[in-house]
Structure formats: structure tokens, C-alpha cells
Amino acid sequence: MSITIFLLWLLTTSFFSLISTQPSPSPPPLRGYLINCGSKTDIQQDGIQYSKDEGYTATGTRTALKNTTHITLPILTTLRYFPYGPGKHCYDFPVTKGAKYLIRTTYYYGQFDGGTHPPVFDQIVDGTTWGVVNTTEDYNNGLTSYYEIIVVANDKTLSVCFACNEQTIRDSNPFVSLLEVLILDSSLYNSTDFGKYGLVTVARSNFASETDFVRFPDDPFNRYWQPFVDGNPTVEAHVNVTSSEFWNRPPAKVFLSGSTTSRGKNLKIQWPPFSLPTNRYYVALYFQDSRSTSPYSWRVFTVLIDDKTFYQDLNVTTKGVTVYGTEWPLSGDTQITLTPRSDMPVGPTINAGEIYQILPLAVTTLARDGIMVILNSLLLALQMLKQSLKNPPDDWNGDPCLPKEHPWFGIGCTEGKQVRVTSL
Ligand SMILES: *[C@@H]1O[C@H](CO)[C@@H](O)[C@H](O)[C@H]1NC(C)=O
Ligand SMILES: *[C@@H]1O[C@H](CO)[C@@H](O)[C@H](O)[C@H]1NC(C)=O
Ligand SMILES: *[C@@H]1O[C@H](CO)[C@@H](O)[C@H](O)[C@H]1NC(C)=O
Ligand SMILES: *[C@@H]1O[C@H](CO)[C@@H](O)[C@H](O)[C@H]1NC(C)=O
Ligand SMILES: *[C@@H]1O[C@H](CO)[C@@H](O)[C@H](O)[C@H]1NC(C)=O
């Protein structure tokens, strides 16, 4: 029933090492957790500190890859895997309730289990199944896979979990290579009701760029901006935008390249480069007039998505501008069309874009913001029991009842608006 986008971006195993090392004032450090799963030590790579995973999870087994043919990065040579069977296996992170987080999971199989195909399994954030992890195609192409979701913490702990599903082959093990939980500023994507929804990244693209991913330090939150090139003419900007003037804080670097077309013509872009399941999406597009700043350096065009007007007569200057749709329906192949106003001496242009799938979140079993939930005495008893047990069952972590396919082993839960524990 839930639509899953598992085809995310592919990340070549070498890109980390290609990050530019221009001398620049050192950026503020990343805030959040960057976890090198399965590692016994902390590792510094490309100016980012990755921590070992000890202390964040009580389940699973550390291991090193058996086949490192395509691996150039130490952080991908280890992983943690979890037992086959029912139940979910979680990492728990202390977080600030109400703060916004970008969670990114990265997977590189490397035949850690001696098999030939990566296992297929679910990933879960708090009580919500966020998607199916299937890295087979990427792995066969020598690529690492990653998935992202943006959520607001509704409690002081945020859990990221892994669980078998019907497609998980018997006796294979869910696993994870890297886990990042990064704090985002509150203004980012703030038209979304994060009390009800998470945003699952579908595409975050830097148009007309042939370079590597743009990410930290150019992006202060280590979002990955993938290059996207098509047959359209490209332009290079003459002026840097001020990133902090945009609520979503797009890195100034992604504005430096743009797709364009000649005067009087419509600019058409097939993006993202894959078909989308019918759903509502958050869409943000970023534009800048590429010329040097002058009284004439602006252009007006209309933005259409699949021939529906997204924004009429947008005036784009050298300062840059963004337009976004909070809940835009999309289905199948998507086309962005920029139609210049008839009197414009220059063609339209676009620099970057983001698309997120809007994912309804499950109501957690524990108390939620502002609602007085009478905690079911059984639930309390359950938590006390867990605390008192020396060795609670392996899967007693994360939400006890949710997602409903993966409750704690040995307990019963009722469904409905308020999920409750009913039996033990
Ligand atoms: C290691 O992986 C590579 C590429 O995925 C593959 O070509 C090779 O056969 C593998 N080696 C072994 C010993 O399985
Ligand atoms: C996983 O992906 C591969 C390659 O796209 C596909 O052939 C396979 O059917 C998928 N497996 C499952 C269980 O969905
Ligand atoms: C989003 O953040 C900006 C900048 O802090 C603020 O001006 C704006 O009102 C916020 N919008 C919403 C819908 O909260
Ligand atoms: C934009 O800023 C970068 C450094 O932040 C600088 O290298 C580049 O020259 C600037 N570009 C323009 C067009 O001013
Ligand atoms: C577009 O913005 C520029 C700069 O603010 C302004 O000079 C110009 O008149 C605007 N054009 C239109 C059609 O509003």
C-alpha cells in the first residue's frame, strides 16, 4: 500500500575523495550524528568525523566486507548486520524534541555474508516504515546506495531501524554501512507539516553541472546535490547568491551552473530522470539570472510542471529566487517547462531543484506533542520490564507497536488512532 521510492541516487564509491580542498575559512562543523556502522574506531574522512557505532545500538553484529573490489573509502569497509527473523533492530539517538533532522542511510553490500546478492529489507524511522532497501542494481554496477528522509523529532529519542520483510530471503541479514542524523535549521522546508509528514528525498539536483556532488562544506547540512546534465545549453553565473537569504539554504555553488535555451524558446527539462509513483511531492526549484548585476539583468518566465502552471511570470534577478510547491501531485515522467514572457531578450534559465515524496507518519505509541495521552499501564509496565531485564529480547527497541508489521516480539497491540499495548 505505501509507495516506496527505492531508486534513489547512486553514489560512486570514489566521490568522497574528489571533494575540492580549496583553502577557505573553515566552515561550521556538521551538527548531528555521523556513524560509521560496524567500525571499532572513529574515522576522519574529507574533513568529516565519523564515529564508531558503539553506544547507539544494542543489537546486531559488526563485520568487515568480504569483497572490497570497488571500495576506495575506509568508511565503507565495515557494516553492522542484524539477525534474520521478525522484529526490528534499531539505532537510538538522543535528539532535541521539535528539531528537524535529515537522516541518511548508506549501503554497500561487499558480500559481507559470503553471498552474491544484497539482502532486501525495510528501513524504519520511529514508528514509520520509510521504505524498502534494495541495493541490488547499484551493487551490480559497483555503486553505493543511499536513502534520505527529513523528519522532526517528536520525542527525545529518534530511532532508525532495520527489519526483514516478505521479500527478505530466508537467513539473509538486514545491514547498514553508514548512518547520518544531521540537524537542519528550522526554516528548511518549513511549509511542510512535519507533525504529520516526513519528506523522503527523490531528487536533489544541480542542473548543468558536470562536476561532483556538491555537499559539505559547500552545503552546511551535508545534503548531496547531484549533477544533472541534459542536452540543453548551459550558462555560468557571474555573481554568487547569498545562500542565507533562502529559507532552504541551497548552497551558493549550485547556482553557478544553469540550463538555459535561446531567446524566445521554451526550456524543457525531463526531470527527475525516472518515473515517479503517483503521490504528492514537495517541489522546490532554484533560479538565478546568470549575468553581471545591472538594471537590466532580470528575466521573466512562467514555470510549468507537466503543463500545469507552477508559477506565473516569475521575475528572476541576479540575487536568485526559489519557488516551491508544498503538496504537488506528480505521476510518471515529469517535465519542467519554462516559458519566457514574450518581450524577454534572453531565454529562461534554471539552476537547481529538489523533489521529496510526502510520507505520512504513523502516530507513535508513546505520548505525542500537546496531547495528553493516558499511558496505558501495560505499556508502562512493559518499559519497566525492559529496563529491569538484564537481556531484553533483541528486538525490544524503537516503538513497541509500530510499524504494525514489526512490533516487539511477544506483545500484542491494538490499532486505531491511539496505538496501545494490549497484551504481554
Ligand atoms: C567481488 O566483487 C566484484 C564486483 O562486484 C566481482 O566482480 C568479483 O567476482 C567479486 N569477487 C569474489 C571473490 O566474489
Ligand atoms: C531488487 O532489485 C532488483 C534489481 O532492480 C530486482 O531485480 C529485484 O526483483 C528486487 N528484489 C526485490 C525483492 O524487490
Ligand atoms: C519559514 O522560515 C522563515 C525564515 O525563518 C520564516 O520567515 C517563515 O515564516 C517560515 N514559514 C513557515 C510556514 O513557518
Ligand atoms: C563565488 O564564490 C566562490 C568562493 O566562495 C569563488 O571562488 C568564486 O569566484 C565566486 N564566483 C563569483 C562568480 O563571484
Ligand atoms: C524584475 O526585478 C527587477 C529588480 O528588482 C526590476 O528592476 C524589474 O522591473 C522587475 N521586472 C518586472 C517585470 O517586474
Side-chain angles (χ1 to χ4, degrees), residues 121-150:
F121 52 92
D122 282 347
Q123 52 187 356
I124 295 160
V125 57
D126 285 336
T128 304
T129 300
W130 138 33
V132 175
V133 177
N134 182 353
T135 62
T136 307
E137 192 177 339
D138 293 354
Y139 185 69
N140 289 344
N141 292 324
L143 298 170
T144 304
S145 314
Y146 63 92
Y147 300 78
E148 292 179 354
I149 188 169
I150 297 168

Short mmCIF file of all heavy atoms in Angstrom, two decimals, residues 121-150:
data_model
loop_
_atom_site.label_atom_id
_atom_site.label_comp_id
_atom_site.label_asym_id
_atom_site.label_seq_id
_atom_site.Cartn_x
_atom_site.Cartn_y
_atom_site.Cartn_z
N PHE A 121 15.28 -5.49 2.48
CA PHE A 121 14.64 -5.38 3.80
C PHE A 121 14.01 -4.00 3.95
O PHE A 121 14.08 -3.17 3.03
CB PHE A 121 15.68 -5.64 4.90
CG PHE A 121 16.93 -4.82 4.78
CD1 PHE A 121 17.06 -3.60 5.42
CD2 PHE A 121 18.00 -5.25 3.98
CE1 PHE A 121 18.21 -2.84 5.29
CE2 PHE A 121 19.16 -4.49 3.85
CZ PHE A 121 19.26 -3.27 4.50
N ASP A 122 13.37 -3.74 5.10
CA ASP A 122 12.72 -2.46 5.36
C ASP A 122 13.63 -1.56 6.19
O ASP A 122 14.38 -2.04 7.03
CB ASP A 122 11.45 -2.67 6.19
CG ASP A 122 10.28 -3.17 5.36
OD1 ASP A 122 10.37 -3.13 4.11
OD2 ASP A 122 9.29 -3.61 5.96
N GLN A 123 13.49 -0.26 5.98
CA GLN A 123 14.07 0.67 6.94
C GLN A 123 12.93 1.47 7.57
O GLN A 123 11.93 1.77 6.93
CB GLN A 123 15.15 1.56 6.33
CG GLN A 123 14.75 2.30 5.07
CD GLN A 123 15.93 3.02 4.42
OE1 GLN A 123 17.03 3.04 4.96
NE2 GLN A 123 15.69 3.62 3.27
N ILE A 124 13.13 1.81 8.83
CA ILE A 124 12.05 2.36 9.65
C ILE A 124 12.59 3.56 10.41
O ILE A 124 13.71 3.51 10.92
CB ILE A 124 11.56 1.28 10.65
CG1 ILE A 124 10.93 0.11 9.89
CG2 ILE A 124 10.59 1.87 11.67
CD1 ILE A 124 10.87 -1.18 10.69
N VAL A 125 11.81 4.63 10.46
CA VAL A 125 12.19 5.74 11.33
C VAL A 125 11.07 5.92 12.35
O VAL A 125 9.90 6.01 12.00
CB VAL A 125 12.49 7.03 10.52
CG1 VAL A 125 11.33 7.47 9.66
CG2 VAL A 125 12.93 8.14 11.45
N ASP A 126 11.43 5.88 13.63
CA ASP A 126 10.46 5.80 14.72
C ASP A 126 9.43 4.73 14.38
O ASP A 126 9.80 3.62 14.13
CB ASP A 126 9.86 7.18 15.01
CG ASP A 126 10.86 8.07 15.76
OD1 ASP A 126 11.76 7.53 16.42
OD2 ASP A 126 10.75 9.30 15.67
N GLY A 127 8.14 5.05 14.32
CA GLY A 127 7.16 4.01 14.05
C GLY A 127 6.76 3.87 12.59
O GLY A 127 5.82 3.15 12.28
N THR A 128 7.46 4.55 11.69
CA THR A 128 7.02 4.58 10.29
C THR A 128 7.97 3.79 9.39
O THR A 128 9.18 4.03 9.43
CB THR A 128 6.97 6.03 9.78
OG1 THR A 128 6.12 6.78 10.64
CG2 THR A 128 6.45 6.11 8.36
N THR A 129 7.41 2.88 8.60
CA THR A 129 8.24 2.23 7.59
C THR A 129 8.51 3.26 6.50
O THR A 129 7.61 3.76 5.85
CB THR A 129 7.51 1.02 6.99
OG1 THR A 129 7.24 0.09 8.04
CG2 THR A 129 8.37 0.33 5.94
N TRP A 130 9.79 3.57 6.34
CA TRP A 130 10.14 4.66 5.44
C TRP A 130 10.38 4.09 4.05
O TRP A 130 10.13 4.78 3.05
CB TRP A 130 11.26 5.45 6.09
CG TRP A 130 12.42 5.93 5.27
CD1 TRP A 130 12.40 6.30 3.96
CD2 TRP A 130 13.75 6.12 5.73
NE1 TRP A 130 13.66 6.71 3.59
CE2 TRP A 130 14.49 6.62 4.64
CE3 TRP A 130 14.39 5.94 6.95
CZ2 TRP A 130 15.85 6.93 4.74
CZ3 TRP A 130 15.74 6.26 7.02
CH2 TRP A 130 16.46 6.75 5.94
N GLY A 131 10.77 2.84 3.93
CA GLY A 131 10.93 2.31 2.58
C GLY A 131 11.62 0.97 2.57
O GLY A 131 12.06 0.47 3.60
N VAL A 132 11.65 0.39 1.37
CA VAL A 132 12.32 -0.88 1.16
C VAL A 132 13.74 -0.60 0.68
O VAL A 132 13.94 0.24 -0.19
CB VAL A 132 11.57 -1.73 0.11
CG1 VAL A 132 12.32 -3.01 -0.20
CG2 VAL A 132 10.16 -2.04 0.60
N VAL A 133 14.69 -1.28 1.25
CA VAL A 133 16.07 -1.13 0.83
C VAL A 133 16.38 -2.27 -0.15
O VAL A 133 16.34 -3.44 0.23
CB VAL A 133 17.03 -1.21 2.04
CG1 VAL A 133 18.48 -1.14 1.60
CG2 VAL A 133 16.70 -0.12 3.04
N ASN A 134 16.62 -1.92 -1.39
CA ASN A 134 17.05 -2.91 -2.38
C ASN A 134 18.22 -2.31 -3.14
O ASN A 134 18.06 -1.45 -4.00
CB ASN A 134 15.90 -3.24 -3.36
CG ASN A 134 16.31 -4.30 -4.37
OD1 ASN A 134 17.48 -4.71 -4.43
ND2 ASN A 134 15.36 -4.74 -5.17
N THR A 135 19.40 -2.76 -2.82
CA THR A 135 20.60 -2.15 -3.39
C THR A 135 21.21 -3.02 -4.49
O THR A 135 22.33 -2.78 -4.92
CB THR A 135 21.65 -1.91 -2.28
OG1 THR A 135 22.04 -3.17 -1.71
CG2 THR A 135 21.10 -1.03 -1.18
N THR A 136 20.44 -4.01 -4.94
CA THR A 136 20.96 -5.00 -5.90
C THR A 136 21.52 -4.35 -7.16
O THR A 136 22.64 -4.63 -7.57
CB THR A 136 19.83 -5.97 -6.30
OG1 THR A 136 19.27 -6.51 -5.10
CG2 THR A 136 20.35 -7.09 -7.16
N GLU A 137 20.70 -3.48 -7.76
CA GLU A 137 21.12 -2.92 -9.04
C GLU A 137 22.38 -2.05 -8.88
O GLU A 137 23.34 -2.17 -9.65
CB GLU A 137 19.98 -2.09 -9.63
CG GLU A 137 20.24 -1.71 -11.07
CD GLU A 137 19.09 -0.94 -11.69
OE1 GLU A 137 17.95 -1.05 -11.17
OE2 GLU A 137 19.34 -0.24 -12.67
N ASP A 138 22.37 -1.19 -7.86
CA ASP A 138 23.55 -0.36 -7.61
C ASP A 138 24.76 -1.23 -7.36
O ASP A 138 25.85 -0.98 -7.89
CB ASP A 138 23.35 0.53 -6.37
CG ASP A 138 22.28 1.59 -6.58
OD1 ASP A 138 21.79 1.71 -7.72
OD2 ASP A 138 21.95 2.28 -5.61
N TYR A 139 24.56 -2.25 -6.53
CA TYR A 139 25.70 -3.09 -6.17
C TYR A 139 26.29 -3.76 -7.41
O TYR A 139 27.51 -3.80 -7.59
CB TYR A 139 25.31 -4.14 -5.13
CG TYR A 139 26.52 -4.92 -4.66
CD1 TYR A 139 27.50 -4.30 -3.90
CD2 TYR A 139 26.71 -6.25 -5.04
CE1 TYR A 139 28.64 -4.98 -3.51
CE2 TYR A 139 27.85 -6.93 -4.65
CZ TYR A 139 28.81 -6.30 -3.88
OH TYR A 139 29.94 -6.97 -3.51
N ASN A 140 25.40 -4.25 -8.28
CA ASN A 140 25.88 -4.88 -9.52
C ASN A 140 26.64 -3.90 -10.40
O ASN A 140 27.46 -4.30 -11.21
CB ASN A 140 24.70 -5.48 -10.29
CG ASN A 140 24.15 -6.71 -9.58
OD1 ASN A 140 24.80 -7.27 -8.70
ND2 ASN A 140 22.93 -7.09 -9.94
N ASN A 141 26.32 -2.61 -10.24
CA ASN A 141 27.03 -1.60 -11.02
C ASN A 141 28.23 -1.02 -10.28
O ASN A 141 28.78 0.01 -10.68
CB ASN A 141 26.07 -0.47 -11.40
CG ASN A 141 25.02 -0.94 -12.38
OD1 ASN A 141 25.30 -1.76 -13.26
ND2 ASN A 141 23.80 -0.46 -12.25
N GLY A 142 28.60 -1.65 -9.18
CA GLY A 142 29.77 -1.18 -8.42
C GLY A 142 29.50 0.11 -7.66
O GLY A 142 30.42 0.86 -7.36
N LEU A 143 28.22 0.37 -7.35
CA LEU A 143 27.87 1.63 -6.70
C LEU A 143 27.34 1.43 -5.29
O LEU A 143 26.80 0.37 -4.95
CB LEU A 143 26.77 2.34 -7.51
CG LEU A 143 27.14 2.75 -8.93
CD1 LEU A 143 25.90 3.21 -9.67
CD2 LEU A 143 28.18 3.85 -8.89
N THR A 144 27.50 2.47 -4.51
CA THR A 144 26.94 2.52 -3.17
C THR A 144 25.54 3.15 -3.27
O THR A 144 25.30 3.97 -4.15
CB THR A 144 27.86 3.40 -2.31
OG1 THR A 144 29.17 2.86 -2.38
CG2 THR A 144 27.41 3.46 -0.87
N SER A 145 24.62 2.76 -2.40
CA SER A 145 23.26 3.31 -2.43
C SER A 145 23.02 4.14 -1.19
O SER A 145 23.53 3.80 -0.12
CB SER A 145 22.22 2.19 -2.44
OG SER A 145 22.56 1.20 -3.35
N TYR A 146 22.21 5.19 -1.33
CA TYR A 146 21.80 5.88 -0.11
C TYR A 146 20.36 6.35 -0.21
O TYR A 146 19.83 6.52 -1.30
CB TYR A 146 22.75 7.02 0.24
CG TYR A 146 22.82 8.14 -0.75
CD1 TYR A 146 21.99 9.25 -0.63
CD2 TYR A 146 23.73 8.13 -1.79
CE1 TYR A 146 22.06 10.30 -1.52
CE2 TYR A 146 23.82 9.17 -2.69
CZ TYR A 146 22.99 10.25 -2.55
OH TYR A 146 23.06 11.29 -3.44
N TYR A 147 19.77 6.52 0.95
CA TYR A 147 18.37 6.95 1.08
C TYR A 147 18.33 8.07 2.11
O TYR A 147 19.11 8.06 3.06
CB TYR A 147 17.51 5.79 1.59
CG TYR A 147 17.47 4.57 0.72
CD1 TYR A 147 18.52 3.66 0.72
CD2 TYR A 147 16.37 4.31 -0.10
CE1 TYR A 147 18.49 2.52 -0.07
CE2 TYR A 147 16.33 3.17 -0.89
CZ TYR A 147 17.39 2.29 -0.87
OH TYR A 147 17.35 1.16 -1.65
N GLU A 148 17.39 9.01 1.92
CA GLU A 148 17.28 10.10 2.88
C GLU A 148 15.82 10.37 3.25
O GLU A 148 14.93 10.25 2.41
CB GLU A 148 17.79 11.41 2.26
CG GLU A 148 19.26 11.47 1.99
CD GLU A 148 19.64 12.82 1.37
OE1 GLU A 148 18.74 13.63 1.06
OE2 GLU A 148 20.83 13.04 1.19
N ILE A 149 15.63 10.80 4.49
CA ILE A 149 14.31 11.29 4.90
C ILE A 149 14.52 12.45 5.87
O ILE A 149 15.51 12.47 6.60
CB ILE A 149 13.47 10.16 5.56
CG1 ILE A 149 12.04 10.64 5.81
CG2 ILE A 149 14.11 9.64 6.85
CD1 ILE A 149 11.07 9.53 6.20
N ILE A 150 13.60 13.43 5.80
CA ILE A 150 13.65 14.57 6.73
C ILE A 150 12.46 14.45 7.67
O ILE A 150 11.32 14.30 7.22
CB ILE A 150 13.61 15.90 5.96
CG1 ILE A 150 14.86 16.02 5.07
CG2 ILE A 150 13.52 17.09 6.92
CD1 ILE A 150 14.80 17.15 4.07
#
